[in-house]
Amino acid sequence: MNDRPNSFRSGPDDSGHFGIYGGRFVAETLMPNILALEEAYEEAKKDPSYFKEMDGHLKHYVGRPSPLYFAERLTEHFGGAKIYLKREELNHTGSHKVNNVLGQIMLARRMKKPRIIAETGAGQHGVATATLCARFGLECVVYMGAVDVARQAPNVFRMKMLGATVVPVQSGAKTLKDAMNEALRDWVTNVHNTFYCIGTVAGPHPYPAMVRDFQSIIGRETREQMQELEGRLPDSLIACVGGGSNAMGLFHPFLDDPSVEIYGVEAAGHGLDKLHAASINGGRPGVLHGNRTYLLMNQDGQIEEGHSISAGLDYPGIGPEHSWLADTGRAKYLTCTDEEALEAFGTLSKLEGIIPALESAHALAKVKELAPKKPKDHLMVVNLSGRGDKDVPQVAEIMGTSL
Amino acid sequence: MSTRIETRFAAVKAEGRAALVTFVMGGDPGYESSLEILKALPEAGADLIELGMPFSDPMADGPPIQAAGLRALKAGQTLKKTLGLVAEFRKTDKDTPLVLMGYYNPIYIYGVDAFLKDANAAGVDGLIVVDLPPEEDAELCLPAIKAGLNFIRLATPTTDDKRLPAVLENTSGFVYYVSVTGITGAATPDFNAVSQAVARIKRHTTLPVAVGFGVKTADHARAVAEGADGVVVGSALVETVRLSLDKEARATEKTVSSVTKLVRELAAGVRSGRPVAAE
Ligand SMILES: Cc1ncc(COP(=O)(O)O)c(C=O)c1O
């Protein structure tokens, strides 16, 4: 791929690269399995029955399509662009994560792997995985940093109710990065019967492309729904970026529409000069967890921990396709601090009666900056990636309220 | 011209035995004590040395090597200092082959060209980079070969006959057979399966085959040495380092001696591995 591609939608190349990003940087033990996964996915893509079955589950089990909702009061409040919310928080299990998990679990079934492992930060991916494992009768083991286990207690309990084993990871900073290391160690050990269900558009090829494909239903629906509601394409898209799966899902179907502005929002935590999780704005390209991408690291190439108020965003990396979109300039990556996210959390709750996930609140926070500068006929879509039920105890504690 | 690794495997083979390959973590528990351990290894019976380049996220390593890497990083180890250890070691030892083992990111950040130049100058003989499969050969393997360094690849129980040729294609020095599907320091391997696997790999290559992962005792070493050209021991040695430390994780007077004691036992195990000299 050169710097100015004809299409922004044709990646990755055959070796799994988006420009210099992506690739397959994993131990030899995993390589045969990753190649088998790639083959299985390529076969599934050619099999109409795979998508037919998936569409059925998406409609009747997940509850799709999710609405594209005109946020009238939010629009009035900011006095600029017409703001629409893509309601991924209405999906079964409460976030966009379920779209991807369904696709991967159906692939695991095709590959006859009875044991599913996953890593999770906020717990949303873990809950989605535990849910579909329950639905299809598969063994489920979820790795989660011990710190996240403590701050996302409701989700940990949900996973256990769903029959999953939650393994608290005690290494490193005990958050998502360490959970991913531990999941990879499990996979290296149990590769013969185990399918690793990665929760975002990161990891070795084919995961970034595969997860993107599963999440692209968000953008495809948005396209159709906007056509129906307004008779044209949206003018801008905004989504929060942890690993970047909800963002890639919304963005991808619009990448080749130059009129559509695209904004990803990284977590700036306490600020870019302090502790944060903004890999693109505050990191540089390196190699971790099977791919080359922007990462937080020190001078010597040792990976540093990310920080964000939102457990789903404090990963020190980002999906490789985002790194490429940032370098090519097709998408812009903004940042949002903990404080800004909390403010947006409150604003949406009070104005629209929707309590957003703290992750999604990062995307909403940037509406305050972008929307007022736009004309009234500017159509802005914000991805509401998840609902805030899981964050209520944490936010209450910050506000000094005991539940 | 033969490389130090080739020369050493040939010499060991002429003695009718397998080579003992010892892994220690560079900079563990600190730079000075790590250098002392390194210098003591050949005398204690190590034929080849693998020196770990510590990394914050060693995804294919188990708790012992993971902890050793973190001890080293905490003590201020960097890739530059690890190359410094090698240069110091080479001042007094011109013959023992030394292979650096680790993960790609610190090398990538150092800069591949600068790293290869500095590694060569320090006296490094080969590289094992766990997260660079043949699919990513263009990153470091091909430049390393060009720079005159051996690039040693891992073959595993999941590397079947179809895939082996790809794994072996740009491998030189020796092949490292990982005896278990798993992380370092975990399960004890099934020695029967290991010797079958070694025989299988030898049908595809004339390179020496060294076996590691899960070898902890002299008895294990003896069992593996029956069929393999080399026996790699890592986790057991770094655990020995750990057990010798004081409460602040600093070296004590027992640190070097307890490591060399285990290396002596392992060397004896390796030497009793093949009662009849090969060929
Ligand atoms: C609701 C929600 N949004 C966003 C994210 C971030 O993930 P991604 O960037 O892959 O969408 C998470 C991750 O846990 C999440 O739970």
Side-chain angles (χ1 to χ4, degrees):
Chain A
M1 258 180 285
N2 52 24
D3 279 357
R4 293 193 162 275
N6 296 323
S7 169
F8 286 97
R9 300 187 62 206
S10 58
D13 65 18
D14 289 343
S15 59
H17 290 87
F18 302 91
I20 67 162
Y21 302 105
R24 280 174 291 216
F25 297 86
V26 294
E28 173 59 26
T29 310
L30 295 179
M31 272 313 295
N33 209 49
I34 281 172
L35 296 172
L37 170 63
E38 186 183 3
E39 199 176 311
Y41 180 51
E42 289 306 316
E43 262 170 36
K45 275 201 280 191
K46 288 184 214 129
D47 179 356
S49 74
Y50 175 69
F51 287 102
K52 190 152 176 273
E53 192 190 345
M54 186 140 64
D55 287 346
H57 295 309
L58 282 169
K59 181 169 177 195
H60 301 291
Y61 191 70
V62 175
R64 299 202 73 93
S66 73
L68 182 66
Y69 163 72
F70 171 49
E72 194 178 353
R73 294 195 66 210
L74 206 60
T75 299
E76 256 170 44
H77 181 74
F78 289 120
K82 214 169 163 185
I83 302 160
Y84 283 86
L85 302 178
K86 181 60 176 163
R87 304 283 306 272
E88 290 298 302
E89 101 282 10
L90 292 178
N91 291 338
H92 181 44
T93 75
S95 80
H96 66 295
K97 297 286 179 187
V98 69
N99 306 326
N100 164 45
V101 173
L102 175 64
Q104 289 197 51
I105 294 295
M106 287 185 47
L107 208 52
R109 277 157 54 84
R110 283 175 80 98
M111 293 177 78
K112 307 219 166 4
K113 303 271 186 182
R115 181 173 179 269
I116 309 295
I117 59 170
E119 84 295 333
T120 197
Q124 289 305 102
H125 175 59
V127 167
T129 308
T131 299
L132 283 159
C133 285
R135 167 66 183 78
F136 291 106
L138 299 166
E139 184 190 346
C140 180
V141 177
V142 180
Y143 290 91
M144 189 169 185
V147 167
D148 293 337
V149 168
R151 63 177 170 173
Q152 300 287 333
N155 273 344
V156 174
F157 187 69
R158 284 165 83 192
M159 285 184 262
K160 288 183 178 163
M161 288 294 298
L162 292 159
T165 305
V166 180
V167 182
V169 174
Q170 302 292 349
S171 58
K174 307 180 173 70
T175 61
L176 183 55
K177 162 176 93 91
D178 312 291
M180 192 149 183
N181 286 331
E182 220 47 51
L184 282 163
R185 291 189 182 109
D186 179 315
W187 202 25
V188 170
T189 308
N190 300 299
V191 66
H192 59 285
N193 72 344
T194 298
F195 187 99
Y196 181 12
C197 183
I198 293 185
T200 192
V201 285
H205 176 65
Y207 282 99
M210 183 173 74
V211 177
R212 172 200 72 198
D213 294 349
F214 294 144
Q215 291 294 3
S216 289
I217 189 161
I218 302 173
R220 285 197 306 273
E221 282 179 7
T222 300
R223 240 184 132 88
E224 266 175 37
Q225 290 165 326
M226 195 59 102
Q227 201 70 41
E228 236 166 67
L229 291 164
E230 299 276 359
R232 63 183 183 90
L233 291 181
D235 298 302
S236 60
L237 309 171
I238 310 176
C240 70
V241 186
S245 65
N246 86 87
M248 252 350 282
L250 175 64
F251 299 168
H252 197 258
F254 295 99
L255 288 178
D256 285 341
D257 299 295
S259 69
V260 181
E261 296 168 32
I262 295 178
Y263 301 98
V265 184
E266 295 192 301
H270 299 312
L272 280 186
D273 53 346
K274 301 194 186 82
L275 285 175
H276 62 83
S279 317
I280 287 179
N281 286 283
R284 58 204 167 116
V287 174
L288 180 74
H289 291 157
N291 60 167
R292 178 169 17 234
T293 193
Y294 278 89
L295 296 169
L296 304 182
M297 63 179 116
N298 72 9
Q299 287 297 323
D300 196 41
Q302 306 296 338
I303 308 303
E304 292 185 332
E305 298 295 336
H307 164 80
S308 166
I309 191 174
S310 123
L313 300 183
D314 70 357
Y315 179 63
I318 186 170
E321 193 167 7
H322 285 291
S323 296
W324 179 69
L325 289 174
D327 281 7
T328 55
R330 176 63 189 99
K332 301 259 176 300
Y333 292 84
L334 313 172
T335 61
C336 165
T337 62
D338 288 352
E339 209 170 313
E340 291 173 274
L342 274 172
E343 187 195 312
F345 184 89
T347 306
L348 190 74
S349 301
K350 294 206 175 86
L351 286 179
E352 296 287 352
I354 300 171
I355 301 179
L358 279 175
E359 290 81 5
S360 319
H362 283 70
L364 290 160
K366 293 295 113 170
V367 173
K368 180 179 167 177
E369 274 166 32
L370 296 168
K373 293 183 204 138
K374 303 290 186 193
K376 290 207 184 306
D377 63 351
H378 180 104
L379 305 177
M380 180 174 279
V381 176
V382 187
N383 205 19
L384 197 61
S385 56
R387 56 179 173 250
D389 306 29
K390 69 183 174 66
D391 299 314
V392 166
Q394 194 193 351
V395 174
E397 198 183 309
I398 293 168
M399 292 168 64
T401 309
S402 65
L403 293 180
Chain B
M1 198 187 70
S2 290
T3 66
R4 253 193 293 256
I5 296 175
E6 288 163 2
T7 307
R8 178 57 56 99
F9 270 106
V12 167
K13 188 178 177 186
E15 285 179 36
R17 63 176 178 91
L20 175 64
V21 184
T22 57
F23 171 94
V24 290
M25 183 60 80
D28 172 36
Y31 185 87
E32 291 304 328
S33 41
S34 177
L35 182 59
E36 257 186 83
I37 293 170
L38 204 55
K39 285 180 169 170
L41 290 173
E43 157 76 34
D47 298 300
L48 274 87
I49 293 173
E50 277 180 21
L51 185 64
M53 300 176 276
F55 183 48
S56 52
D57 295 80
M59 60 101 159
D61 285 299
I65 290 182
Q66 204 184 343
L70 290 181
R71 282 196 298 273
L73 290 174
K74 221 172 157 192
Q77 190 68 9
T78 60
L79 183 50
K80 206 170 187 75
K81 287 186 182 173
T82 302
L83 292 171
L85 277 175
V86 181
E88 289 279 335
F89 173 78
R90 272 284 167 256
K91 283 185 188 162
T92 54
D93 187 322
K94 305 275 184 239
D95 303 321
T96 307
L98 190 146
V99 171
L100 291 178
M101 180 164 187
Y103 294 80
Y104 184 44
N105 196 54
I107 297 172
Y108 179 66
I109 295 306
Y110 195 104
V112 166
D113 291 342
F115 171 75
L116 290 174
K117 187 166 154 275
D118 293 354
N120 248 329
V124 172
D125 299 294
L127 302 174
I128 301 176
V129 183
V130 179
D131 53 355
L132 286 179
E135 281 74 6
E136 303 291 347
D137 266 359
E139 295 284 334
L140 180 66
C141 173
L142 299 179
I145 292 169
K146 234 174 138 187
L149 289 172
N150 285 130
F151 200 86
I152 293 117
R153 185 97 61 200
L154 308 184
T156 75
T158 61
T159 316
D160 58 17
D161 280 327
K162 196 169 126 237
R163 182 163 171 81
L164 251 178
V167 169
L168 294 171
E169 189 181 351
N170 292 316
T171 301
S172 59
F174 63 98
V175 182
Y176 187 140
Y177 181 68
V178 174
S179 60
V180 293
T181 50
I183 52 181
T184 53
T188 303
D190 168 351
F191 297 113
N192 238 335
V194 168
S195 65
Q196 280 172 26
V198 171
R200 176 167 72 89
I201 293 171
K202 282 178 162 293
R203 284 199 291 276
H204 292 264
T205 180
T206 54
L207 288 170
V209 179
V211 175
F213 280 44
V215 181
K216 295 190 183 74
T217 65
D219 279 345
H220 294 165
R222 180 180 307 125
V224 172
E226 276 178 29
D229 304 300
V231 181
V232 190
V233 183
S235 294
L237 290 174
V238 302
E239 272 299 86
T240 305
V241 171
R242 182 178 69 81
L243 292 169
S244 75
L245 304 178
D246 68 13
K247 281 204 184 73
E248 271 85 51
R250 287 174 312 209
T252 63
E253 78 279 5
K254 278 191 301 197
T255 301
V256 176
S257 61
S258 58
V259 172
T260 52
K261 178 168 173 282
L262 178 56
V263 172
R264 274 197 194 90
E265 289 166 20
L266 293 164
V270 163
R271 279 165 174 78
S272 62
R274 258 178 276 168
V276 186
E279 276 130 282

